[in-house]
Amino acid sequence: MATTPEYDFIIVGAGSAGCVLANRLSKDPANRVLLLEAGGKDRNPLFRLPMLMGKLFHSGIYNWHYHTEPEPYLNNRSLYWPRGKVLGGTSTINGMIYVRGNRHDYDRWSQLGLPGWSYDEVLPAFRRSEAHIQRNGEFHGGDGELTVCRARGHNPLMDVFCQAGEEAGYPLNDDFNGATQEGFGRYDFTIKRGKRWSTSWAFLRPAMDRGSLTVITGAETTRLLIENDRAAGVEYLVNGNLQTARAAREIVLSAGVVNTPKALLLSGIGPADELKAVGVKPLLDLPGVGKNLQDHVDCVMSWECREPITLFGDLRADKLIPAVAQGMLFGEGITTTFPYEAGAFVRSNDGLIAPDIQLHFMPALEKTANLHFPNPFAKKQRVEANHGFTIRVGPVNPVSRGEITLRSANPTDKPKILANYLQADFDIRTMIDGIRLTRDIVGQKAFDPYRGQELAPSPTADNDADLTKWLRATAMTTFHPVGTAKMGTDPMAVVDARLRVHGVEGLRVADASIMPIISSGNTNAPAIMIGEKCAEFILNA
């Protein structure tokens, strides 16, 4: 009979945090590290071109292709929830925007009784990973594996947007990850020489040849083996065959905000009554597993542009197809940029200590930001029929909370996702404030030569009732779910300040699901930091 393989550490999930952990733990050749990834290898070269992210993000490639349950506060719409199913996880399919959040996010975590998580304590972990091409100093690192660069695009509307923000009374900000987050500017990106620099490329590939690291792809975890209140091993499916691996020291769940709680629940760790209801035997009644789900909700505002200077002209097939070749071969050209390069973090009122609204600006309409073929026989249209600009508007600290629950005891069934977007009146109020301040920004002098008709919501949607109705009909996710295995000391906490699961020895969680409160902005950079912190806790134990 074949013996069950044993490792010192088993990491479940090769996403943003999991790739960091695999790299850090396998540096010691004495450690035997197993990394399990349900998806495959990240071999598709098109995913490395930043401009193609929008179309590929909505494909089924490298993707769990999740959907929420009908959202009761969004007119019962079911929202698409792409999550990476591939080496690198969602960092292989995301928008590559590198935003850490602001100082107050992490200081709030610390104030919840979580030592080690204040801004001053997490900054070294951010810097350890980072290799910023242009920035250095106290807020940035230059020697890490994760290449970060400034925005690469040159569309003039980006500068118009920032100038309008300044005219509206907001500060300009050259670095959202620097001394302050507030203001208008351009985002940083995890792009290296014009190509996506996922955590797989940054952290995992350099470690793949180490004898201390074993990586198994196509391995979908079905449950954890818990023996005498200790995590002893993992069961997983490969090509329909059930396999087992054992851990001598620790197991780390880095499977993401959906699949980390799913793995815990299938293992009998979670709310006991809910587990019994779907036929799972409870081993540990841990009521917070799958709860505290948070995500950044936003809305898409758009205007016509009176000048033909948007990305629409760059996305013609006769231009884009050669541009793809240019990007792949030389790392240059339009396909090596990301359409949402400019943005802002603003306060809806002066009494707030930190920004409560994030803006993403794209010099194109979402409906026209696609590959298209020129038609020489078509009747000439107004410029505004194709050219426009889009601003996505959303609160950075939503109050609404959702949950992840099991659909059944079958490990191959997708879990239920209920985000409860716009459940809280606070979130609606903040979004309406954001809509109004965005209209004020677009109304500034800088936009006068370019601003056409408002397309969404529409100039006639101005009172709270109309805007609320529009939000419930159109609001969507910005793909930043967190919080379903939250860190804390209260009864709903799942892990402690060192990411150890309450009540189970030898088991930690390291991914965005541990966030007690969502960070302000895009969440990939914080997930990478969480991987760094977990490695630090394990190696310094």
Side-chain angles (χ1 to χ4, degrees), residues 179-492:
T180 182
Q181 187 185 52
E182 186 172 11
F184 279 66
R186 298 201 185 192
Y187 292 110
D188 283 356
F189 291 85
T190 51
I191 295 174
K192 183 174 183 178
R193 293 193 290 270
K195 306 285 181 62
R196 172 191 296 275
W197 200 240
S198 69
T199 56
S200 171
W201 281 80
F203 297 98
L204 189 57
R205 284 175 182 255
M208 291 284 272
D209 292 334
R210 295 174 185 167
S212 54
L213 176 63
T214 300
V215 179
I216 302 177
T217 56
E220 185 169 353
T221 296
T222 58
R223 70 179 180 120
L224 306 172
L225 301 177
I226 309 298
E227 299 173 359
N228 299 319
D229 298 326
R230 180 176 183 83
V234 176
E235 285 187 353
Y236 58 96
L237 288 169
V238 177
N239 296 323
N241 298 314
L242 190 63
Q243 301 186 29
T244 303
R246 297 185 67 84
R249 293 177 62 182
E250 295 198 43
I251 296 171
V252 185
L253 282 174
S254 296
V257 72
V258 177
N259 290 323
T260 282
K262 178 186 175 186
L264 290 169
L265 294 169
L266 288 170
S267 306
I269 301 170
D273 290 344
E274 292 183 13
L275 294 176
K276 291 176 184 176
V278 293
V280 175
K281 180 182 177 181
L283 296 181
L284 174 64
D285 187 7
L286 202 58
V289 174
K291 311 305 181 186
N292 193 50
L293 173 61
Q294 302 160 60
D295 190 12
H296 289 136
V297 63
D298 76 355
C299 61
V300 179
M301 302 182 70
S302 60
W303 282 261
E304 294 178 335
C305 183
R306 296 190 292 165
E307 295 292 333
I309 60 172
T310 72
L311 293 179
F312 179 78
D314 296 312
L315 298 177
R316 283 176 32 175
D318 56 333
K319 291 184 178 182
L320 189 61
I321 292 172
V324 169
Q326 181 188 20
M328 291 301 301
L329 294 173
F330 306 110
E332 298 174 353
I334 188 68
T335 62
T336 69
T337 67
F338 184 67
Y340 281 103
E341 286 199 333
F345 291 91
V346 296
R347 290 178 292 158
S348 61
N349 70 76
D350 293 337
L352 297 174
I353 194 172
D356 61 333
I357 293 168
Q358 183 179 11
L359 308 179
H360 293 83
F361 177 82
M362 179 172 69
L365 299 173
E366 289 203 344
K367 68 178 182 178
T368 63
N370 294 301
L371 175 69
H372 55 273
F373 293 86
N375 182 356
F377 304 106
K379 292 179 63 176
K380 186 173 178 62
Q381 292 180 301
R382 296 179 308 117
V383 167
E384 296 93 323
N386 294 317
H387 290 275
F389 53 89
T390 298
I391 304 177
R392 298 186 66 156
V393 183
V396 296
N397 298 125
V399 174
S400 302
R401 295 291 185 269
E403 64 179 8
I404 306 288
T405 56
L406 293 180
R407 196 172 300 276
S408 75
N410 185 343
T412 63
D413 281 350
K414 292 183 178 181
K416 293 181 179 180
I417 301 168
L418 184 64
N420 278 330
Y421 296 112
L422 300 188
Q423 176 190 45
D425 289 340
F426 175 89
D427 297 345
I428 296 173
R429 180 73 262 162
T430 304
M431 293 191 77
I432 290 175
D433 289 344
I435 290 169
R436 291 191 168 128
L437 68 83
T438 301
R439 283 173 166 166
D440 179 59
I441 292 159
V442 176
Q444 298 299 315
K445 182 178 178 181
F447 271 113
D448 284 352
Y450 312 102
R451 180 182 57 251
Q453 179 179 339
E454 179 183 316
L455 300 175
S458 81
T460 59
D462 190 47
N463 61 57
D464 286 4
D466 287 344
L467 291 175
T468 298
K469 182 179 179 180
W470 178 73
L471 286 170
R472 296 208 188 278
T474 64
M476 57 187 295
T477 170
T478 50
F479 315 110
H480 300 159
V482 307
T484 52
K486 80 166 188 173
M487 176 172 53
T489 58
D490 62 282
M492 294 300 288

Side-chain angles (χ1 to χ4, degrees), residues 27 48 55 57 63 68 99 101 116 120 127 239 299 303 309 319 330 383 390 394 453 494 527 539:
K27 275 188 176 179
R48 301 209 63 211
K55 292 298 289 182
F57 195 57
N63 199 331
T68 71
V99 171
D120 289 337
R127 295 183 73 250
N239 296 323
C299 61
W303 282 261
I309 60 172
K319 291 184 178 182
F330 306 110
V383 167
T390 298
Q453 179 179 339
V494 177
L539 295 174

